Amino acid sequence: MFISGIGIVFTRGRGVDSFEKALKEGWREPSWTGLIPAYRVSQETLTDASLTKKIRRADKFTRMALFSAFDAYVNSGIITENNERLGIILSTAFGPHSTTFSFIDDMLDYGYANASPTKFSNSVHNAAASYVSSVLGSRGPTVTLAQFSFPFQNALALADIWLNEGRCEHVLCGCVDELNAVMEYACKMKLKTAGDGKIRPFIFSSSPLSVPGEGGAFFMLSKEKCENNYGEVTGISFSGKTNGKPDITVIDSDGMTGDETLYRETADSTVAGYSPLFGSMLIGSAFNFAAASLMLKNQVAYNCPVPDNPSGIKVCGSDFSAGINKINCVRICRSEKTAVIKIIK
Amino acid sequence: MKIVISGIGAVSAAGINLAENLDSLKNGKRNAGPVSIFSSGLSYPVFEVKSLPEKWKNAGMRTLSLALAAVEEALNDAGLQTLLSGFKAGVYLGTTVASQLNDIEFYDSFRKSGSADLKPVDRYLKGNLAEAVSHLVKASGPAVTVVNACSSGTDAVGIAVSFLKSGICDIAIAGGADELNRVPFCGFGSLGILSNSLCAPFDRNRTGLNLGEGAGILVLEREDFYIGRGKKPLLYLSGYGSAADAYHLTAPRPDGKGLESAVRSALSDSGISPEDVCFINAHGTGTIDNDKAEGSVLYRVFGENIRFFSTKGYTGHTLGAAGGIEAAYTAAALKEGWIPASAGFACKDDEIPISPVTENTDVKGSFALSTSLAFGGNNSAIVIERA
């Protein structure tokens, strides 16, 4: 399965170029406007009349999904008139919960019989994927998944299967999650927040610190190698086995899934982690996967934005001079299960 | 590689196990009434599960409770222990309610005071349906929760088949579960598609749907693995198709092209033709738009003599559970050789070219189809085969 296009919406803007720019520029402080420091996506980033004229009622979650999916589609250069065999897989941890709460506001404020039907329809988890399908005119299978463990890895595995089965020629596959006041409150109460706003992926702590984020990251995935190619996914393993040493291992440690000590065991090659650029998210793997894809395509080992490294592992940076041919992306959930995505040039 | 249906479990207002469900279908029992598990002030009838066994009652996690009851039944039916730790097993479940943090008291407290008891958040985080079931049965493979609105259960079954065929797992627990909940109850009410009376799928005078709750679970196994367990296959899950309308957030595409594409894809996946299908368990919600679009597609693909029915008149619309429950019914009906009367149907709608069966009917044949249409324009279909 080949990576033909990337679309990103995150705290520093929209598009793969914005993401690459962030990888080059390094860490920036999160915003401090809410209960906790967080990497929020601005309203300005989510304004695009050419895309939203068809979906004026779409909420923030849908806009992040649509913009990142649409950009991945355009970035691939695979624009066909007939999208019957374009599949869509959207995975999320929490879904469009701001709209759910807005619907509950209606129930509480106006009575159970007087809530807004528009809000209700937009609160359904698969509304965002439906909007993507409508805007792109894609008529292939369209699925939304909701996971706390491995949301991106399961979506990617399904995309790979659909392509191998011949069910689709291309699959737009990605993840979206949003922040709001309720989620920030839950994060504040249930997670340890980094007071200085810095996620430190290489501390490997049993009680790591987080800085929540939000955004969307989508990938156009193709059975055949396309003109625009970021790399090839050669395996997605849920057993934790890596089968061979990669040039670089990108890890998802970001303070969101508890004990991170096991990540230390993955550090037998050069290690990278880019969560300090986009924030702690259960869907953070999708953003690290985007970073890995760009590393393969551009043959650049981007400096890790927060390289604090007390255990002396080899952290990815400008001193990495070898060719980048093979990257493993590793996620460990609750110190129990490990998933590895293997990508090659 | 063929995929065997080795176990079936079902819980709904029609019964707390598959046998009770089939008995209700056979005898035309429609156990609907006012909602009793929460207050809402709305008077639409619902199909509520009244007698869930005590052992499965997890406080505040009703969807998980319903799922576990059906999972246990399906695993027992498959001749498997309720722990799958020794196998390459995956869990693929559809839901709507269990994926949402929609506890009204929690949210009301937060918006009034900026703080709230976090127990509902803990329950939500522990209650991701596939992850929770996977954890409880100690499945080592993928846990995938499908949230495709009303087609979630059907899509979860289809996705499980794909994962099995890929070799990622040998066994899959697949289907869907959903509870009656105030938020979708008010939501469907706000959309104006809940009926004040018992639903009447495909009937000329239909006035909307009734919500229900329940779970429908299939245990699916790779045929080589199943035969290796010393078993002889009786049923197969032989095809899955899915297609998007790319049309509207809540209304089905009037020409039904998305559904037609999903149905034809499922038939193709099974390697069969429309004439090989001996009956269809239709989505048939009882809404004006759904039944009109679906009836037209079934006529267009299968012709005027196709036998079909909807079981929403026995269970209500169980949302994310519907595809799972209807897959369970379809498999059982194909195995037993009969289909139930389509409850609620009395008068032919001139805008729907075909009508559902009005009495219990014996069927002979090897293949049956179950369809699902969903919010967001998702359309899905599965084909079940008798060995």
Side-chain angles (χ1 to χ4, degrees), chain B residues 67 71 91-95 129-131 133-134 143-147 152-153 156-157 173-177 216-217 320:
Chain B
V71 165
V91 179
Y92 307 84
L93 296 175
T95 188
L129 194 60
E131 290 174 10
V133 170
S134 174
V144 177
T145 301
V146 179
V147 288
S152 300
V157 169
I173 291 172
I217 300 292

Side-chain angles (χ1 to χ4, degrees), chain B residues 234-295:
Chain B
L234 297 175
L235 293 165
Y236 296 106
L237 200 309
S238 66
Y240 164 64
S242 178
D245 278 349
Y247 173 71
H248 191 269
L249 189 54
T250 55
R253 196 181 170 97
D255 63 9
K257 282 201 171 161
L259 176 62
E260 182 173 347
S261 176
V263 167
R264 293 195 187 280
S265 170
L267 297 177
S268 169
D269 202 31
S270 298
I272 62 171
S273 305
E275 50 269 28
D276 295 318
V277 172
C278 65
F279 70 84
I280 298 166
N281 187 347
H283 189 61
T285 57
T287 61
I288 300 290
D289 291 344
N290 176 91
D291 295 2
K292 188 175 162 188
E294 188 176 18

Side-chain angles (χ1 to χ4, degrees), chain B residues 1 4 6 8 14 31 37 52 74 83 113 115 119 154 178 189 191 212 216 255 260 262 278-279 283 322 346 372 377:
Chain B
M1 169 55 59
V4 177
S6 61
I8 306 173
N31 302 322
I37 54 176
L52 189 65
L83 294 181
S113 67
S115 68
K119 285 194 189 76
T154 301
D178 248 330
L191 288 166
D255 63 9
E260 182 173 347
C278 65
F279 70 84
H283 189 61
S372 291

Side-chain angles (χ1 to χ4, degrees), chain A residues 35 84 92-97 100-109 112-118 120-131 133-134 137-150 154 157-158 161-162 165 167 181-183 185-186 189-190 236 238 282 334 336-337, chain B residues 39-40 42 99-104 106-108 110-111 114-116 118 121-122 124-125 128 131 134 139-149 155 159 162-163 165-166 168 182-184 186-188 190-191 240-250 253 257-258 261 265 269 374-378:
Chain A
L35 277 175
E84 297 255 344
T92 177
F94 301 108
H97 55 270
T100 300
F101 293 137
S102 182
F103 181 74
I104 297 174
D105 278 333
D106 278 8
M107 290 169 64
L108 293 169
D109 293 339
Y112 286 3
N114 300 303
S116 157
T118 302
F120 176 67
S121 11
N122 281 279
S123 77
V124 178
H125 267 52
N126 69 331
S130 168
Y131 281 125
S133 155
S134 287
S138 63
R139 304 267 299 277
T142 301
V143 163
T144 302
L145 310 178
Q147 314 273 171
F148 300 130
S149 303
F150 308 122
N154 279 320
L158 181 58
I161 290 170
W162 278 0
E165 287 181 327
R167 205 172 281 279
V182 181
M183 198 54 64
Y185 171 71
M189 301 303 289
K190 300 198 75 65
I236 304 153
F238 293 90
L282 292 177
R334 293 191 298 269
E336 289 171 359
K337 289 185 175 179
Chain B
S39 59
S40 72
L42 304 179
S99 64
Q100 290 191 322
L101 179 56
N102 67 2
D103 188 286
I104 293 175
F106 162 78
Y107 178 65
D108 195 26
F110 177 79
R111 73 177 201 150
S115 68
L118 289 169
V121 176
D122 292 334
Y124 170 64
L125 293 173
N128 180 282
E131 290 174 10
S134 174
S140 61
V144 177
T145 301
V146 179
V147 288
N148 249 19
D155 288 314
I159 288 168
S162 290
F163 271 78
K165 285 183 176 173
S166 78
I168 290 175
R182 268 185 296 191
V183 173
C186 294
F188 278 89
S190 73
L191 288 166
Y240 164 64
S242 178
D245 278 349
Y247 173 71
H248 191 269
L249 189 54
T250 55
R253 196 181 170 97
K257 282 201 171 161
S261 176
S265 170
D269 202 31
F375 259 29
N378 287 315

Side-chain angles (χ1 to χ4, degrees), chain B residues 68-85:
Chain B
L68 289 174
V71 165
E72 184 185 58
E73 184 188 11
L75 287 173
N76 286 340
D77 188 37
L80 291 162
Q81 303 291 320
T82 48
L83 294 181
L84 299 176
S85 46

